[in-house]
Amino acid sequence: MEQVHPTRMELMKKRSQIVLAEQGRDLLKEKMEALIQEFFKIMVNFSESREGLEQLAVEADIALLVAEAVDDPVAVKSASYATKRQIMVDISGKNIMGVPVPVIQKTSVALNVMQRGYGLIGTSSRINEAAEKFESELDMIIRLAETETTLRRLGNEIQMNRRRVNALDQIIIPELKDQAKYIRFSIEEREREDLFRLKKVKKLIERKKVKKKMAQAGTRSE
């Protein structure tokens, strides 16, 4: 409070700061509520897709185990080397309530039998099925990568907004109100002191007037 100047101008400044801080807090709360709604809307689809991914992963693992158990393990490994390749994805971006999130171009990595690079002779339907399952799993992973990153960034923004709202609610606004209260109290105290001094001066002036009148009356009587 020592750095606060107890003047009417400072009091007006503090009151203006309180109004701005409360408006900022309310806007942050509105943004946070909108972000939370968007977060849970995306989360519902993500949870369903995540369950689908887990199911695909189980099916792919089973298909691979069957292929390795029934077919020649060398043929399975050879087919896996033949299909090995780099996967390129196009990533752009968009904003959700001011939060930048990625947009991954939805391109499928699934291939048909002729595109996988291994020969049809010596490659069973079980190997083809395993390849299809793992390609579907990879497609799902790429789709979920966008959603998971979006959820993470929205969650970070929500947490940051919550910290800002708490700081405004619990620290900044109470401190500004305390400063305004201190300034108002100081001004009122100073006004009371000024009023007391004015009354005292007024009494002194009235006493001097009375003494002067008494002196003048005494002079006339002589």
Side-chain angles (χ1 to χ4, degrees), residues 82-83 85 110-121 123 128 131-132 135:
T83 58
R85 69 190 189 278
L111 302 174
N112 59 43
V113 177
M114 302 301 295
Q115 293 173 319
R116 291 197 180 108
Y118 52 69
L120 295 179
I121 300 175
T123 305
N128 286 327
E132 290 173 3
E135 287 168 354

Side-chain angles (χ1 to χ4, degrees), residues 76-94:
V76 175
K77 186 171 290 187
S78 176
S80 70
Y81 286 141
T83 58
K84 186 177 181 180
R85 69 190 189 278
Q86 287 187 339
I87 297 173
M88 305 296 291
V89 294
D90 293 327
I91 302 177
S92 57
K94 66 177 182 179

Side-chain angles (χ1 to χ4, degrees), residues 1-7 10-11 14 175-176 178-184 186:
M1 294 301 178
E2 295 178 357
Q3 298 178 353
V4 178
H5 302 291
T7 62
E10 189 69 16
L11 179 60
K14 293 300 175 185
E175 184 176 331
L176 288 172
D178 287 342
Q179 290 175 353
K181 183 178 179 180
Y182 165 76
I183 294 171
R184 187 175 65 253
S186 298

Side-chain angles (χ1 to χ4, degrees), residues 22 26 32 50 63 70 102 120 143 157 160 181 201 220:
E22 289 176 341
D26 294 340
M32 188 169 65
R50 193 61 183 261
V70 177
L120 295 179
R143 289 197 296 272
E157 186 71 14
M160 186 169 61
K181 183 178 179 180
V201 170
R220 289 196 209 94

Side-chain angles (χ1 to χ4, degrees), residues 2 43 56 127 134 140 163 193 202:
E2 295 178 357
M43 188 66 186
L56 272 176
I127 293 177
F134 277 102
M140 183 70 76
R163 286 194 294 269
E193 291 175 355
K202 186 178 180 181

Side-chain angles (χ1 to χ4, degrees), residues 147-160:
T147 307
E148 187 171 351
T149 304
T150 298
L151 287 173
R152 187 181 297 112
R153 291 188 178 179
L154 289 177
N156 290 338
E157 186 71 14
I158 290 168
Q159 289 296 327
M160 186 169 61

Side-chain angles (χ1 to χ4, degrees), residues 6-49:
T7 62
R8 291 192 177 278
M9 185 66 70
E10 189 69 16
L11 179 60
M12 292 173 62
K13 179 181 175 182
K14 293 300 175 185
R15 286 174 173 170
S16 177
Q17 289 175 343
I18 290 169
V19 171
L20 287 175
E22 289 176 341
Q23 289 176 345
R25 176 203 59 196
D26 294 340
L27 287 174
L28 284 172
K29 283 183 176 180
E30 289 177 6
K31 181 181 179 181
M32 188 169 65
E33 289 172 0
L35 285 171
I36 290 172
Q37 290 178 0
E38 190 69 24
F39 180 90
F40 281 109
K41 184 170 68 175
I42 297 172
M43 188 66 186
V44 171
N45 295 329
F46 177 75
S47 298
E48 293 174 355
S49 299

